[in-house]
Each structure stands twice: as C-alpha cells, then as structure tokens.
Amino acid sequence: MVVFRIDRRGGVATYLQIVRQVEQALRMGALEEGDRLPTAAQVAATTKVNPNTTLKAYRELERMGLAEVRQGAGTFITRTLAQPRTGPGSPLRTALTDWLAQARAEGLTGQDVTALFHAAFESAYPGEAPD
C-alpha cells in the first residue's frame, strides 16, 4: 500500500501531490494493476488531508485511466507505468540503490543527494524539470 507524504509548503496542490505520488509508485512498481488504494478516510487519518481532496485526486487518476472506483469496494489501479528496465530488480534500479548506499556511507545527506541529482539531471535532460 502507498503511504502519502504531503508537503504543505511546496506550493503544489495537495491533490496533485497525491496524483504524482501514485504515478511515481506505478513507475517504480510499488503499485500494480489490481492494487487497492487507501480510502479517503485512511489518507485523511495519516496525512490530515480533507477526504474530499483525496477523492479529487482519485477522480483525476480515474480520468487519466490509471484507477477505477468500484462502488462499495474502493479505488483500484487499472494499469501500471512500470518499465521492465526500471522496475524492482532491474539493473538500473540496482545500480541506483547501490550508489545511494555509497553516497550515504560517504556522509552525503538527503539534501546533498537531491542537489547532486538535480545538477546531474539538468546536464542529462536540459530544459526539462524533474517531477
């Protein structure tokens, strides 16, 4: 199950943060077709987000074709965004996990890694913004 983390100072609408986190979980293989998303009440209890905000996010996911609401049963993932080359156990993911472990062992903080990532991303993908 996905656990949502809401940044109230980031300037991104809360419902969009939920949508983006579901998309990311789908890309990374943490959510797969058929998985059930937490209820709006569960999200509200863990994040202090209004249940209507979660429902708005789920409607957006439904509009995008990523989820469907089943009356009385919940909201379910309808398709994945995971790519075979980036899913769990893939060489790229393994290399990145190893690199992050090395960065931590060498004393880099999460902020250091994020800054390094953004600099490297800008070099590899000029003009594109990472999500």
Side-chain angles (χ1 to χ4, degrees):
M1 180 177 287
V2 66
V3 177
F4 297 111
R5 301 197 191 303
I6 304 302
D7 179 2
R8 298 183 195 297
R9 298 175 306 227
V12 176
T14 302
Y15 88 97
L16 282 177
Q17 290 182 52
I18 293 170
V19 169
R20 289 178 180 171
Q21 289 175 43
V22 169
E23 288 177 314
Q24 185 68 14
L26 288 168
R27 281 188 198 94
M28 302 315 305
L31 282 174
E32 297 176 346
E33 187 174 334
D35 285 348
R36 184 176 179 265
L37 292 172
T39 66
Q42 289 170 324
V43 175
T46 59
T47 64
K48 307 299 186 240
V49 168
N50 186 308
N52 289 329
T53 301
T54 302
L55 294 173
K56 182 176 181 179
Y58 286 4
R59 282 191 302 273
E60 178 64 14
L61 291 165
E62 189 171 28
R63 187 195 65 74
M64 297 167 68
L66 297 175
E68 71 176 353
V69 176
R70 298 180 193 158
Q71 283 300 91
T75 304
F76 293 84
I77 297 299
T78 55
R79 68 183 176 97
T80 185
L81 296 175
Q83 301 292 319
R85 63 186 180 275
T86 59
S90 73
L92 285 174
R93 187 172 183 154
T94 300
L96 181 57
T97 300
D98 292 346
W99 183 87
L100 288 169
Q102 180 183 357
R104 175 171 261 188
E106 292 185 18
L108 271 70
T109 66
Q111 289 178 329
D112 295 335
V113 169
T114 299
L116 184 56
F117 168 80
H118 284 283
F121 185 92
E122 180 59 33
S123 294
Y125 298 93
E128 291 185 39
D131 286 339

